[in-house]
Amino acid sequence: MNPEAANTDIAALSYEQAREELVAVVAQLETGAATLEQSLGLWERGEALAARCEAWLQGATARLDAARETNGSASPSS
């Protein structure tokens, strides 16, 4: 299976879904029961899930910064 094709669904995940699946992937890797090929696939999926979580967090930070700027510019300066 093509790893890129297997990870296309990640873009549709919420932060919580991606984080939950990432925790499950890490748990699977930590057991050491997977074959090398399976471990590589899990690692790639985990990297894609971590990137998705990071994108969500960056987006949330940008929204908070924008809200602070809007609220800060609307209030009178002392």
Side-chain angles (χ1 to χ4, degrees):
M1 180 189 303
N2 180 351
E4 291 177 13
N7 293 334
T8 56
D9 63 318
I10 291 174
L13 296 178
S14 70
Y15 171 79
E16 291 78 9
Q17 290 169 323
R19 182 179 42 91
E20 185 176 309
E21 187 176 339
L22 179 57
V23 168
V25 166
V26 169
Q28 284 181 283
L29 286 169
E30 287 178 340
T31 67
T35 65
L36 177 59
E37 188 65 31
Q38 291 168 334
S39 294
L40 288 172
L42 286 168
W43 179 268
E44 290 168 343
R45 181 121 180 121
E47 287 289 323
L49 288 163
R52 180 66 177 150
C53 288
E54 181 65 25
W56 268 107
L57 293 173
Q58 288 175 350
T61 299
R63 288 176 62 187
L64 288 171
D65 290 345
R68 286 183 188 133
E69 287 176 16
T70 300
N71 290 337
S73 64
S75 62
S77 58
S78 302

